[in-house]
Amino acid sequence: METAQLRYNWTDADIYEAFMGRWSEYLAGPFLARADLAPGARVLDLACGTGVLSKALAEAGAQVVGVDASEGYLEGARLRRPHPHVSYEQGDARHLRFDDNAFDAAVSTLALDVIPEVEQVVAEMKRVTRPGGVVASAVTQFFGGMPAFDLVYNTGAVLESAAARMRSARAGRTQFWPGGQAALWRKLGLAEVTEIPVVVDCEYRSFQDYWVTFTDGPGSVTAMLMGLSSGARAAIEQHVRAGYLVGLPDGPRSFPMIFRVVRGLVPA
Ligand SMILES: C[S@@+](CC[C@H](N)C(=O)[O-])C[C@H]1O[C@@H](n2cnc3c(N)ncnc32)[C@H](O)[C@@H]1O
């Protein structure tokens, strides 16, 4: 069996928390409200990362298994988000060790977009969920749903072809446009499928707090920015800073972030 390829060196839980963990924190509550799971449900949190959703699920009364490919992130989860009703374990979302129908629900946040074999992963989520159980996911809306990123991509694209290519590669992922996940849910035979946008405020304390998530983060945008010359990067930073400040003193800014939450039932 092949091993999961962890892209962009996703091993350091602290770096993850500063970059994307903040979105997971904002998303967990609205996601759980939409997922609508029964109290006491046995829930698989697939690609659980540093455990934000797993802990929120447990606090809402679920019995949770959080599975992730990154031992570094799991270590972070065990340290930061332990809970008597959560167990964290390493595993590959494409080949789960669990029996058919082992869970009342399988859920995942911010993960389907990072695993190339999306269909295989959702099929696994369905397989391990009992008939009548819930399969739900949330990912960012890749076109139009990430203004905090668009400021960097759109500015960078004017100045550097690498940024323009990355903008097209990301925003052009139609599977994560509105209705994309729902179409996959239906294709795989899930029933009563709904997909809705959830908007959350993504807060930054200052321009520095915002900019370091791009230059020091675990993602492909960091790889792209750090692959540029320091002069090219400084030019992008200067224009992005102007877009962040909009002529006002430095300080907190809030960007809306749109997540697409899909939910379906395993046919009884
Ligand atoms: C953006 S993070 C999301 C983490 C978490 N769900 C959250 O909302 O914060 C994506 C996660 O997918 C995990 N991952 C990537 N490929 C995987 C695979 N094949 N199997 C399990 N986890 C995987 C990564 O290790 C990472 O923790």
Side-chain angles (χ1 to χ4, degrees):
M1 191 183 296
E2 79 270 50
T3 30
Q5 293 299 307
L6 287 180
R7 299 185 303 168
Y8 326 131
N9 197 18
W10 281 4
T11 52
D12 187 317
D14 291 333
I15 290 178
Y16 179 79
E17 291 282 328
F19 177 73
M20 211 178 261
R22 65 175 85 205
W23 309 348
S24 317
E25 292 279 4
Y26 300 136
L27 176 61
F31 176 77
L32 287 185
R34 301 294 171 183
D36 193 19
L37 306 177
R42 293 161 301 149
V43 182
L44 171 67
D45 178 10
L46 198 66
C48 64
T50 53
V52 173
L53 181 64
S54 297
K55 184 158 188 225
L57 279 159
E59 284 170 348
Q63 302 282 336
V64 186
V65 180
V67 170
D68 200 276
S70 166
E71 191 47 54
Y73 285 5
L74 289 167
E75 239 172 71
R78 291 181 195 111
L79 269 174
R80 289 161 187 263
R81 301 196 177 84
H83 190 285
H85 296 155
V86 182
S87 65
Y88 294 109
E89 64 174 66
Q90 194 170 28
D92 187 338
R94 299 167 303 176
H95 311 279
L96 295 170
R97 70 168 183 84
F98 307 105
D99 292 337
D100 295 0
N101 309 336
F103 294 95
D104 298 309
V107 301
S108 181
T109 53
L110 308 181
L112 293 187
D113 56 296
V114 308
I115 307 174
E117 301 84 359
V118 186
E119 191 165 328
Q120 189 180 340
V121 171
V122 181
E124 278 291 85
M125 293 171 81
K126 182 184 172 203
R127 180 185 68 75
V128 301
T129 304
R130 65 163 172 80
V134 173
V135 177
S137 155
V139 297
T140 40
Q141 180 177 311
F142 272 65
F143 187 94
M146 305 166 75
F149 273 63
D150 289 344
L151 178 54
V152 174
Y153 284 128
N154 289 336
T155 306
V158 176
L159 300 169
E160 294 294 329
S161 58
R165 280 195 301 276
M166 179 164 281
R167 178 177 63 178
S168 298
R170 289 185 61 88
R173 297 186 70 186
T174 55
Q175 195 162 24
F176 303 112
W177 288 11
Q181 286 182 104
L184 177 58
W185 257 234
R186 292 191 182 100
K187 179 179 173 191
L188 291 173
L190 289 152
E192 297 181 37
V193 176
T194 56
E195 183 188 308
I196 54 145
V198 166
V199 181
V200 303
D201 293 326
C202 194
E203 316 277 358
Y204 296 91
R205 292 187 300 278
S206 63
F207 177 71
Q208 184 63 9
D209 182 40
Y210 168 75
W211 183 245
V212 293
T213 66
F214 296 99
T215 55
D216 296 18
S220 51
V221 62
T222 299
M224 183 273 290
L225 284 172
M226 300 318 284
L228 300 174
S229 69
S230 55
R233 195 164 52 250
I236 293 175
E237 179 180 351
Q238 181 196 338
H239 292 290
V240 170
R241 179 192 292 272
Y244 183 96
L245 297 182
V246 288
L248 297 171
D250 196 2
R253 300 288 187 272
S254 173
F255 292 83
M257 181 87 89
I258 302 175
F259 299 96
R260 308 295 312 184
V261 179
V262 64
R263 178 186 194 272
L265 301 180
V266 177

